[in-house]
Amino acid sequence: MRHFLEIDDLSPDELTDVLDRAEQPDLGQPLAGKGVALYFAKPSLRTRHSCEMATVQLGGHPVTIKRDEIDPGAREPWSDIARVLAGYHAVMGARVFEHEHVEALAEPSALPIVNLLSDAAHPCQALADLLTMRQQLGQLAGSTVCYVGDFNNVGRSLSLGAAMSGMNVRLACPPGFGPTDVDLDRLAALGCVPFVTTHPDEAAKDVDAVHTDVWTSMGFETESEHRSRAFEGFQVDDHVMEAADPRAIFMHCLPVHRGEEAAASVVDGPQSRIFEQAHNRLHSFRGLLAWLVEVNGR
Protein backbone atom coordinates (compact mmCIF):
# COMPACT_ATOMS: atom_id res chain seq x y z
CA MET A 1 0.00 0.00 0.00
CA ARG A 2 1.43 3.38 -1.01
CA HIS A 3 0.76 6.30 1.34
CA PHE A 4 1.62 10.00 1.15
CA LEU A 5 2.76 11.09 4.59
CA GLU A 6 5.68 13.21 3.39
CA ILE A 7 6.68 14.32 -0.08
CA ASP A 8 9.67 12.01 -0.24
CA ASP A 9 7.30 9.04 0.01
CA LEU A 10 7.35 9.62 -3.76
CA SER A 11 10.42 9.05 -5.90
CA PRO A 12 11.57 12.05 -7.99
CA ASP A 13 10.03 10.45 -11.08
CA GLU A 14 6.75 9.82 -9.26
CA LEU A 15 6.72 13.42 -8.06
CA THR A 16 7.05 14.60 -11.66
CA ASP A 17 4.25 12.21 -12.65
CA VAL A 18 1.92 13.67 -9.99
CA LEU A 19 2.73 17.25 -11.08
CA ASP A 20 2.14 16.30 -14.73
CA ARG A 21 -1.25 14.85 -13.83
CA ALA A 22 -2.07 18.01 -11.86
CA GLU A 23 -1.76 20.05 -15.05
CA GLN A 24 -4.11 17.82 -17.03
CA PRO A 25 -7.60 19.35 -17.16
CA ASP A 26 -9.32 15.98 -17.51
CA LEU A 27 -8.08 12.90 -15.67
CA GLY A 28 -11.26 10.95 -16.25
CA GLN A 29 -13.38 9.51 -13.43
CA PRO A 30 -11.10 7.09 -11.55
CA LEU A 31 -13.10 7.66 -8.35
CA ALA A 32 -16.53 7.06 -9.90
CA GLY A 33 -18.71 5.36 -7.31
CA LYS A 34 -15.97 5.64 -4.65
CA GLY A 35 -15.57 7.68 -1.49
CA VAL A 36 -12.70 9.70 -0.04
CA ALA A 37 -12.69 10.15 3.74
CA LEU A 38 -11.30 13.51 4.91
CA TYR A 39 -10.58 13.80 8.65
CA PHE A 40 -9.98 17.24 10.18
CA ALA A 41 -8.63 17.69 13.69
CA LYS A 42 -7.80 21.30 12.77
CA PRO A 43 -9.85 24.05 11.09
CA SER A 44 -9.33 24.33 7.36
CA LEU A 45 -10.18 26.51 4.39
CA ARG A 46 -7.90 25.62 1.46
CA THR A 47 -7.37 21.98 2.43
CA ARG A 48 -11.02 21.07 2.86
CA HIS A 49 -12.29 22.85 -0.23
CA SER A 50 -9.46 21.70 -2.50
CA CYS A 51 -9.70 18.07 -1.35
CA GLU A 52 -13.47 17.89 -1.62
CA MET A 53 -13.57 19.47 -5.08
CA ALA A 54 -10.66 17.36 -6.38
CA THR A 55 -12.57 14.25 -5.27
CA VAL A 56 -15.72 15.45 -7.04
CA GLN A 57 -13.80 16.26 -10.23
CA LEU A 58 -12.50 12.68 -10.30
CA GLY A 59 -16.03 11.33 -9.94
CA GLY A 60 -15.83 10.49 -6.24
CA HIS A 61 -17.79 11.43 -3.13
CA PRO A 62 -15.95 13.24 -0.31
CA VAL A 63 -17.02 12.57 3.28
CA THR A 64 -15.64 15.10 5.76
CA ILE A 65 -15.18 13.92 9.35
CA LYS A 66 -14.59 16.24 12.28
CA ARG A 67 -12.68 15.39 15.44
CA ASP A 68 -15.66 15.43 17.79
CA GLU A 69 -17.52 12.93 15.60
CA ILE A 70 -15.10 10.04 16.11
CA ASP A 71 -12.66 11.09 18.91
CA PRO A 72 -9.81 8.98 17.47
CA GLY A 73 -7.37 7.45 19.90
CA ALA A 74 -9.89 7.68 22.73
CA ARG A 75 -13.12 6.18 21.45
CA GLU A 76 -11.26 3.67 19.30
CA PRO A 77 -7.71 3.19 17.98
CA TRP A 78 -6.51 4.95 14.85
CA SER A 79 -5.76 1.59 13.24
CA ASP A 80 -9.35 0.40 13.76
CA ILE A 81 -10.66 3.61 12.19
CA ALA A 82 -8.50 3.03 9.11
CA ARG A 83 -9.69 -0.59 8.80
CA VAL A 84 -13.34 0.43 9.09
CA LEU A 85 -13.08 3.28 6.59
CA ALA A 86 -11.26 1.01 4.11
CA GLY A 87 -14.58 -0.75 3.58
CA TYR A 88 -16.24 2.50 2.52
CA HIS A 89 -13.54 4.59 0.84
CA ALA A 90 -10.75 4.39 -1.72
CA VAL A 91 -8.48 6.91 0.06
CA MET A 92 -8.33 8.71 3.41
CA GLY A 93 -6.81 12.12 4.09
CA ALA A 94 -6.10 13.39 7.62
CA ARG A 95 -5.26 16.88 8.91
CA VAL A 96 -3.87 16.32 12.40
CA PHE A 97 -1.69 17.82 15.11
CA GLU A 98 0.76 14.97 15.79
CA HIS A 99 2.51 13.27 12.87
CA GLU A 100 2.30 9.91 14.62
CA HIS A 101 -1.45 10.00 14.07
CA VAL A 102 -1.13 9.76 10.28
CA GLU A 103 1.50 7.07 10.82
CA ALA A 104 -0.97 5.16 12.99
CA LEU A 105 -3.62 5.40 10.29
CA ALA A 106 -1.15 4.10 7.71
CA GLU A 107 0.22 1.29 9.90
CA PRO A 108 -2.38 -1.39 9.02
CA SER A 109 -2.13 -0.47 5.29
CA ALA A 110 -5.89 -0.82 5.03
CA LEU A 111 -6.23 2.05 2.54
CA PRO A 112 -3.96 4.82 1.18
CA ILE A 113 -3.45 7.59 3.77
CA VAL A 114 -2.66 11.18 2.76
CA ASN A 115 -1.15 13.59 5.28
CA LEU A 116 -3.20 16.76 4.82
CA LEU A 117 -1.02 18.45 7.49
CA SER A 118 0.81 17.37 10.62
CA ASP A 119 3.28 19.03 12.95
CA ALA A 120 6.17 17.43 11.02
CA ALA A 121 5.10 17.74 7.39
CA HIS A 122 2.77 19.42 4.92
CA PRO A 123 3.38 17.47 1.70
CA CYS A 124 0.16 18.51 -0.07
CA GLN A 125 1.18 22.15 0.33
CA ALA A 126 4.60 21.30 -1.10
CA LEU A 127 2.95 19.77 -4.17
CA ALA A 128 1.02 23.00 -4.78
CA ASP A 129 4.19 25.05 -4.20
CA LEU A 130 6.18 23.02 -6.72
CA LEU A 131 3.36 23.12 -9.26
CA THR A 132 3.10 26.90 -8.93
CA MET A 133 6.85 27.42 -9.26
CA ARG A 134 7.00 25.13 -12.29
CA GLN A 135 4.23 27.12 -13.97
CA GLN A 136 5.70 30.50 -13.06
CA LEU A 137 9.41 29.79 -13.57
CA GLY A 138 9.20 27.47 -16.54
CA GLN A 139 11.16 24.66 -14.90
CA LEU A 140 12.20 23.54 -11.44
CA ALA A 141 15.60 21.94 -12.02
CA GLY A 142 18.34 24.54 -11.69
CA SER A 143 16.05 27.19 -10.18
CA THR A 144 16.66 28.49 -6.67
CA VAL A 145 14.09 28.73 -3.89
CA CYS A 146 14.48 30.66 -0.64
CA TYR A 147 12.51 29.99 2.52
CA VAL A 148 12.44 32.63 5.28
CA GLY A 149 11.26 31.92 8.82
CA ASP A 150 10.55 28.91 10.99
CA PHE A 151 11.78 25.66 9.44
CA ASN A 152 8.43 24.07 10.27
CA ASN A 153 6.29 21.49 8.51
CA VAL A 154 5.85 23.79 5.50
CA GLY A 155 9.55 24.63 5.22
CA ARG A 156 10.57 20.99 5.63
CA SER A 157 8.24 19.58 2.96
CA LEU A 158 9.01 22.44 0.56
CA SER A 159 12.76 21.90 0.94
CA LEU A 160 12.49 18.15 0.40
CA GLY A 161 10.30 18.60 -2.68
CA ALA A 162 12.62 21.26 -4.08
CA ALA A 163 15.63 18.98 -3.56
CA MET A 164 13.83 16.10 -5.29
CA SER A 165 13.13 18.43 -8.23
CA GLY A 166 16.75 19.50 -8.70
CA MET A 167 16.30 22.97 -7.19
CA ASN A 168 18.81 24.87 -5.09
CA VAL A 169 17.59 25.59 -1.56
CA ARG A 170 18.43 28.63 0.58
CA LEU A 171 17.14 29.04 4.14
CA ALA A 172 17.01 32.05 6.49
CA CYS A 173 15.90 31.02 9.97
CA PRO A 174 16.25 32.60 13.44
CA PRO A 175 18.64 30.82 15.82
CA GLY A 176 16.88 27.78 17.25
CA PHE A 177 14.30 27.67 14.45
CA GLY A 178 16.40 26.30 11.60
CA PRO A 179 16.83 22.80 10.16
CA THR A 180 18.14 20.09 12.47
CA ASP A 181 21.03 17.79 11.63
CA VAL A 182 18.44 15.16 10.73
CA ASP A 183 16.79 17.59 8.29
CA LEU A 184 20.15 18.42 6.69
CA ASP A 185 21.07 14.74 6.39
CA ARG A 186 17.73 14.04 4.75
CA LEU A 187 18.32 16.80 2.21
CA ALA A 188 21.90 15.63 1.62
CA ALA A 189 20.59 12.15 0.81
CA LEU A 190 18.66 13.82 -2.02
CA GLY A 191 21.80 15.55 -3.28
CA CYS A 192 20.97 18.95 -1.77
CA VAL A 193 23.21 20.96 0.54
CA PRO A 194 21.14 24.04 1.41
CA PHE A 195 22.63 27.44 2.08
CA VAL A 196 21.60 28.30 5.66
CA THR A 197 21.86 31.75 7.21
CA THR A 198 20.23 34.03 9.77
CA HIS A 199 20.01 36.92 7.27
CA PRO A 200 16.93 36.93 4.98
CA ASP A 201 18.39 39.31 2.39
CA GLU A 202 21.47 37.10 2.15
CA ALA A 203 19.37 33.98 1.61
CA ALA A 204 17.21 35.76 -0.98
CA LYS A 205 20.12 36.95 -3.12
CA ASP A 206 19.34 36.27 -6.80
CA VAL A 207 16.76 33.55 -6.03
CA ASP A 208 13.80 32.74 -8.26
CA ALA A 209 11.18 32.31 -5.53
CA VAL A 210 10.85 33.53 -1.95
CA HIS A 211 8.61 31.63 0.46
CA THR A 212 7.58 32.30 4.03
CA ASP A 213 4.99 31.17 6.56
CA VAL A 214 3.40 32.45 9.75
CA TRP A 215 5.68 32.90 12.74
CA THR A 216 3.30 31.01 15.04
CA SER A 217 1.59 27.96 13.58
CA MET A 218 -1.61 26.38 14.85
CA GLY A 219 -0.89 24.55 18.07
CA PHE A 220 1.96 26.88 19.10
CA GLU A 221 -0.15 29.82 20.22
CA THR A 222 1.39 29.82 23.71
CA GLU A 223 4.75 30.63 22.09
CA SER A 224 3.41 33.64 20.20
CA GLU A 225 5.12 36.35 22.28
CA HIS A 226 8.46 34.51 22.35
CA ARG A 227 8.32 33.89 18.61
CA SER A 228 7.49 37.53 17.84
CA ARG A 229 10.74 38.55 19.54
CA ALA A 230 12.78 35.75 17.99
CA PHE A 231 11.54 36.53 14.48
CA GLU A 232 12.27 40.26 14.52
CA GLY A 233 14.08 41.09 11.29
CA PHE A 234 12.68 38.06 9.46
CA GLN A 235 9.85 39.82 7.66
CA VAL A 236 9.84 39.36 3.88
CA ASP A 237 9.69 43.02 2.89
CA ASP A 238 10.61 45.03 -0.18
CA HIS A 239 14.29 44.99 0.84
CA VAL A 240 14.32 41.17 0.86
CA MET A 241 12.52 40.97 -2.48
CA GLU A 242 14.95 43.47 -4.00
CA ALA A 243 17.77 41.05 -3.16
CA ALA A 244 16.07 38.33 -5.24
CA ASP A 245 16.11 38.10 -9.02
CA PRO A 246 13.98 40.91 -10.52
CA ARG A 247 11.62 38.28 -11.94
CA ALA A 248 11.36 36.39 -8.63
CA ILE A 249 7.96 35.46 -7.23
CA PHE A 250 6.70 35.66 -3.64
CA MET A 251 4.80 32.72 -2.16
CA HIS A 252 2.99 32.04 1.12
CA CYS A 253 0.83 29.02 2.02
CA LEU A 254 -1.80 31.27 3.71
CA PRO A 255 -3.32 32.51 5.89
CA VAL A 256 -0.92 35.47 5.92
CA HIS A 257 -0.45 38.15 8.57
CA ARG A 258 0.34 41.30 6.62
CA GLY A 259 2.90 43.39 8.48
CA GLU A 260 4.23 40.42 10.42
CA GLU A 261 5.98 37.66 8.46
CA ALA A 262 5.50 39.56 5.20
CA ALA A 263 4.96 43.22 4.32
CA ALA A 264 1.60 44.12 2.78
CA SER A 265 3.45 45.68 -0.15
CA VAL A 266 4.93 42.24 -0.92
CA VAL A 267 1.81 40.16 -0.22
CA ASP A 268 -0.32 42.36 -2.48
CA GLY A 269 2.47 43.36 -4.87
CA PRO A 270 3.13 42.36 -8.49
CA GLN A 271 5.53 39.54 -7.57
CA SER A 272 3.03 37.78 -5.31
CA ARG A 273 1.60 34.47 -6.50
CA ILE A 274 -0.19 33.51 -3.30
CA PHE A 275 -3.62 33.01 -4.84
CA GLU A 276 -2.34 30.98 -7.81
CA GLN A 277 -0.55 28.91 -5.17
CA ALA A 278 -3.77 28.48 -3.16
CA HIS A 279 -5.74 27.46 -6.26
CA ASN A 280 -3.08 24.89 -7.12
CA ARG A 281 -3.95 23.06 -3.91
CA LEU A 282 -6.96 21.77 -5.87
CA HIS A 283 -5.06 20.78 -9.00
CA SER A 284 -2.14 19.17 -7.18
CA PHE A 285 -4.46 17.13 -4.94
CA ARG A 286 -6.41 15.97 -7.98
CA GLY A 287 -3.15 14.75 -9.54
CA LEU A 288 -2.14 13.03 -6.31
CA LEU A 289 -5.51 11.29 -5.89
CA ALA A 290 -5.44 10.01 -9.47
CA TRP A 291 -1.92 8.66 -8.94
CA LEU A 292 -2.73 7.01 -5.60
CA VAL A 293 -5.85 5.31 -6.92
CA GLU A 294 -3.93 3.96 -9.91
CA VAL A 295 -0.80 2.79 -8.09
CA ASN A 296 -2.81 1.12 -5.32
CA GLY A 297 -5.40 -0.43 -7.63
CA ARG A 298 -8.19 1.18 -5.62
Side-chain angles (χ1 to χ4, degrees), residues 146-151 170-179 195-204 210-216 226-241 250-252 256-257 259-263 266:
C146 164
Y147 181 84
V148 177
D150 184 10
F151 194 78
R170 300 172 70 90
L171 306 171
C173 308
F177 292 92
F195 175 81
V196 183
T197 180
T198 56
H199 301 285
D201 54 344
E202 186 178 24
V210 178
H211 289 245
T212 192
D213 190 13
V214 296
W215 290 347
T216 305
H226 166 64
R227 284 172 173 263
S228 291
R229 292 194 300 268
F231 283 77
E232 272 187 47
F234 281 82
Q235 183 184 96
V236 177
D237 55 15
D238 293 318
H239 177 69
V240 172
M241 292 304 298
F250 169 74
M251 300 178 66
H252 191 300
V256 61
H257 301 123
E260 191 168 295
E261 72 270 10
V266 173

Side-chain angles (χ1 to χ4, degrees), residues 119-150:
D119 57 356
H122 200 350
C124 291
Q125 181 63 53
L127 285 179
D129 296 345
L130 293 168
L131 179 61
T132 305
M133 289 190 291
R134 189 167 83 162
Q135 292 169 342
Q136 297 291 325
L137 305 178
Q139 65 176 24
L140 294 175
S143 298
T144 302
V145 60
C146 164
Y147 181 84
V148 177
D150 184 10

Side-chain angles (χ1 to χ4, degrees), residues 165-297:
S165 303
M167 301 184 77
N168 304 302
V169 177
R170 300 172 70 90
L171 306 171
C173 308
F177 292 92
T180 65
D181 289 342
V182 172
D183 290 319
L184 295 175
D185 289 345
R186 200 168 174 184
L187 289 168
L190 294 169
C192 176
V193 179
F195 175 81
V196 183
T197 180
T198 56
H199 301 285
D201 54 344
E202 186 178 24
K205 184 173 173 56
D206 299 327
V207 302
D208 301 294
V210 178
H211 289 245
T212 192
D213 190 13
V214 296
W215 290 347
T216 305
S217 299
M218 240 185 293
F220 294 90
E221 289 82 1
T222 58
E223 301 178 12
S224 180
E225 186 176 338
H226 166 64
R227 284 172 173 263
S228 291
R229 292 194 300 268
F231 283 77
E232 272 187 47
F234 281 82
Q235 183 184 96
V236 177
D237 55 15
D238 293 318
H239 177 69
V240 172
M241 292 304 298
E242 285 167 5
D245 185 277
R247 296 164 295 179
I249 58 174
F250 169 74
M251 300 178 66
H252 191 300
C253 60
L254 301 180
V256 61
H257 301 123
R258 290 168 174 83
E260 191 168 295
E261 72 270 10
S265 57
V266 173
V267 174
D268 301 311
Q271 292 170 282
S272 179
R273 297 294 183 273
I274 60 173
F275 295 111
E276 292 89 341
Q277 182 183 1
H279 297 158
N280 273 332
R281 288 294 305 275
L282 164 64
H283 306 304
S284 57
F285 193 71
R286 186 177 63 238
L288 175 66
L289 272 182
W291 181 84
L292 276 173
V293 169
E294 180 179 308
V295 75
N296 284 302

Side-chain angles (χ1 to χ4, degrees), residues 15-239:
L15 174 57
T16 299
D17 185 5
V18 169
L19 295 178
D20 288 344
R21 291 172 190 248
E23 293 197 292
Q24 295 179 32
D26 185 2
L27 289 170
Q29 300 282 286
L31 285 173
K34 301 174 183 178
V36 172
L38 300 168
Y39 169 71
F40 291 91
K42 290 184 174 185
S44 173
L45 173 63
R46 283 152 293 277
T47 299
R48 178 172 177 178
H49 285 266
S50 61
C51 292
E52 288 191 0
M53 289 310 302
T55 300
V56 169
Q57 289 177 5
L58 294 176
H61 182 79
V63 177
T64 294
I65 310 162
K66 294 187 177 179
R67 187 177 192 173
D68 60 0
E69 294 175 319
I70 58 174
D71 196 15
R75 185 176 173 209
E76 56 187 314
W78 291 93
S79 57
D80 284 4
I81 292 170
R83 289 186 173 99
V84 169
L85 293 178
Y88 312 142
H89 299 284
V91 179
M92 179 181 184
R95 180 178 171 92
V96 299
F97 286 91
E98 293 86 4
H99 189 75
E100 53 262 34
H101 291 169
V102 289
E103 293 177 328
L105 286 167
E107 189 274 329
S109 281
L111 78 171
I113 303 298
V114 177
N115 179 6
L116 302 179
L117 178 141
S118 69
D119 57 356
H122 200 350
C124 291
Q125 181 63 53
L127 285 179
D129 296 345
L130 293 168
L131 179 61
T132 305
M133 289 190 291
R134 189 167 83 162
Q135 292 169 342
Q136 297 291 325
L137 305 178
Q139 65 176 24
L140 294 175
S143 298
T144 302
V145 60
C146 164
Y147 181 84
V148 177
D150 184 10
F151 194 78
N152 55 10
N153 48 7
V154 172
R156 181 174 295 109
S157 295
L158 170 65
S159 297
L160 288 169
M164 292 170 64
S165 303
M167 301 184 77
N168 304 302
V169 177
R170 300 172 70 90
L171 306 171
C173 308
F177 292 92
T180 65
D181 289 342
V182 172
D183 290 319
L184 295 175
D185 289 345
R186 200 168 174 184
L187 289 168
L190 294 169
C192 176
V193 179
F195 175 81
V196 183
T197 180
T198 56
H199 301 285
D201 54 344
E202 186 178 24
K205 184 173 173 56
D206 299 327
V207 302
D208 301 294
V210 178
H211 289 245
T212 192
D213 190 13
V214 296
W215 290 347
T216 305
S217 299
M218 240 185 293
F220 294 90
E221 289 82 1
T222 58
E223 301 178 12
S224 180
E225 186 176 338
H226 166 64
R227 284 172 173 263
S228 291
R229 292 194 300 268
F231 283 77
E232 272 187 47
F234 281 82
Q235 183 184 96
V236 177
D237 55 15
D238 293 318
H239 177 69

